[in-house]
Amino acid sequence: MNGPVPRKGILDIDAYVPGKSAAPAGVKLWKLSSNETPLGPSAQAKAAYAAAGEKLELYPDGASSALRAAIAARYGLDPARLICGAGSDELLSLLAYTYLGPGDEAVYSEHGFLVYKIATLAAGATPVVAPEKNYTADVDALLARVTAKTKIVFLANPNNPTGTYLPFDEVKRLHAGLRSDILLVLDAAYAEYVRANDYESGLELVATSPNVVMARTFSKIYGLANLRLGWMVGPPAVIDAVNRIRGPFNVSGPAMAAGMAAIQDDAHVADAIAHNDKWLAFLTKELTGLGLGVTPSVGNFLLVHFSKEAGKSARDADAFLTERGLILRRVDAYGLPDALRLTIGSEEANRLVVETLREFLGK
Ligand SMILES: Cc1ncc(COP(=O)(O)O)c(C=O)c1O
């Protein structure tokens, strides 16, 4: 007897493999594999979460109204143009299910965030990959891959796992080159960390275009990854379409409460930015000084390149670090088998990574 058969293409998907989170028994764990913040969430967010935990028997507000109002007030947006999700991952998948089907194509860049491929395949559509230059999305290459079948272009800006970004002028050039029936999805999960004058997360483009959305997350700088909370701003017609297929209660009440408190705690965000600025620069300098290739990053993580030499490879480094409790991210699935991605951690973790890699390299 045959069992149920998944739709065509589903079994071609390689399931997303999250960053490892275990160290050998008895070794202290330093999890630097999922771009989580070493500062944790705002104390106000934790208090709001705990208070919301007193009312678990009630369904949450399915429209996330209060959270949308808080985000709208924070960024000067119209709440009717916002939608919240169980992480921005959910919103990226909902976009794929809303706009893609068999025969359609979604374009993204070579080392782009893996969820784009998974969401595209899950919707039965075809992923189209554009090569990058210097580990950075290339607008001309993306535009050259657009065909009559293209329905979505996904751009993580900054991108994970490379840490590179496109200046706003380049994003505008990408948008200007797309037909108006192609949705440009700007995924700005790391926007709060970026310190570059020529960067813009997408708010301006969304405000003035009928075919651009921007997704944001509470998982990174706000330290609420465990609660699964993200949001997206877009044209009313896009938000309306996505709302029709989202789960009726896709965001939990405690997550909404924590998110509302988190975006009001500017001091905590400022601390997280200052910490990241300091240790991103430290790690870039120290690891470069050890002779490792480090892709310049504007996020809260670094792509570190190793040699192919036996005993000195990314795989060897990963094993060496893991034995000592330092868990980085292998990025083979991103087409980067010779690199590891390192999340900016606490001062102690960052210093330990440098010393451990120094030992690994025999310096
Ligand atoms: C570029 C990018 N987009 C989206 C996400 C998804 O974040 P979440 O679903 O936790 O909001 C991540 C998480 O790693 C990411 O790196």
Side-chain angles (χ1 to χ4, degrees):
M1 247 189 343
N2 294 326
V5 179
R7 263 192 298 117
K8 189 168 169 288
I10 296 293
L11 299 183
D12 298 334
I13 299 173
D14 293 322
Y16 186 87
V17 181
K20 285 185 295 185
S21 50
V27 177
K28 178 164 179 183
L29 170 78
W30 304 92
K31 185 167 183 250
L32 304 170
S33 58
S34 298
N35 299 346
E36 296 143 337
T37 171
L39 272 61
S42 146
Q44 280 106 287
K46 285 203 263 189
Y49 170 76
E54 295 298 319
K55 295 189 280 286
L56 296 183
E57 72 281 13
L58 302 181
Y59 276 99
D61 165 22
S64 300
S65 305
L67 175 59
R68 285 192 297 117
I71 295 167
R74 172 73 180 73
Y75 289 97
L77 299 169
D78 175 0
R81 287 170 163 254
L82 299 176
I83 181 171
C84 298
S88 48
D89 278 348
E90 184 193 24
L91 298 167
L92 297 168
S93 293
L94 287 175
L95 286 170
Y97 290 126
T98 305
Y99 291 98
L100 300 175
D104 296 332
E105 295 175 353
V107 180
Y108 51 83
S109 69
E110 189 181 354
H111 305 300
F113 184 47
L114 263 184
V115 164
Y116 311 148
K117 180 179 182 186
I118 295 174
T120 301
L121 289 169
T126 306
V128 176
V129 179
E132 299 190 356
K133 277 197 187 128
N134 296 325
Y135 301 103
T136 308
D138 175 351
V139 169
D140 295 308
L142 287 162
L143 289 175
R145 295 304 171 295
V146 169
T147 72
K149 296 177 182 167
T150 307
K151 292 282 170 58
I152 292 185
V153 174
F154 288 107
L155 179 72
N157 200 28
N159 184 51
N160 166 23
T162 53
T164 55
Y165 76 103
L166 282 188
F168 188 39
D169 280 352
E170 281 294 276
V171 178
K172 279 193 283 196
R173 192 163 74 81
L174 172 61
H175 175 247
L178 297 175
R179 297 190 313 269
S180 62
D181 63 314
I182 298 176
L183 183 66
L184 175 60
V185 178
L186 300 174
D187 175 356
Y190 301 94
E192 296 85 358
Y193 286 110
V194 183
R195 309 283 257 174
N197 291 334
D198 56 358
Y199 175 79
E200 208 279 321
S201 63
L203 286 171
E204 191 181 319
L205 209 50
V206 173
T208 53
S209 324
N211 63 334
V212 183
V213 296
M214 177 191 62
R216 299 285 281 262
T217 184
F218 283 92
S219 300
K220 306 299 175 185
I221 205 158
Y222 294 109
L224 297 174
N226 201 353
L227 289 183
R228 312 305 305 123
L229 188 61
W231 59 276
M232 181 168 81
V233 56
V238 175
I239 299 302
D240 170 64
V242 176
N243 261 323
R244 290 168 194 255
I245 64 162
R246 90 174 151 74
F249 304 104
N250 61 330
V251 178
S252 76
M256 287 186 234
M260 275 186 280
I263 53 165
Q264 264 134 44
D265 192 345
D266 290 337
H268 188 70
V269 172
D271 286 349
I273 293 172
H275 178 91
N276 199 64
D277 283 353
K278 177 174 176 186
W279 294 104
L280 182 71
F282 170 87
L283 285 167
T284 304
K285 180 163 168 279
E286 294 294 321
L287 298 182
T288 306
L290 291 178
L292 294 166
V294 178
T295 301
S297 169
V298 293
N300 68 335
F301 56 91
L302 280 172
L303 189 65
V304 185
H305 303 267
F306 292 81
S307 88
K308 287 187 190 296
E309 196 190 323
K312 294 276 179 272
S313 70
R315 179 182 289 263
D316 297 316
D318 185 46
F320 192 89
L321 291 158
T322 299
E323 261 173 47
R324 288 153 184 80
L326 291 159
I327 311 299
L328 276 64
R329 179 63 162 267
R330 295 286 305 272
V331 279
D332 305 45
Y334 286 94
L336 298 163
D338 301 323
L340 296 177
R341 193 193 66 198
L342 165 66
T343 301
I344 310 306
S346 64
E347 170 170 359
E348 205 179 348
N350 298 333
R351 292 192 187 281
L352 193 61
V353 167
V354 172
E355 290 321 308
T356 306
L357 282 172
R358 193 189 309 281
E359 196 189 327
F360 168 72
L361 295 165
K363 303 255 169 166

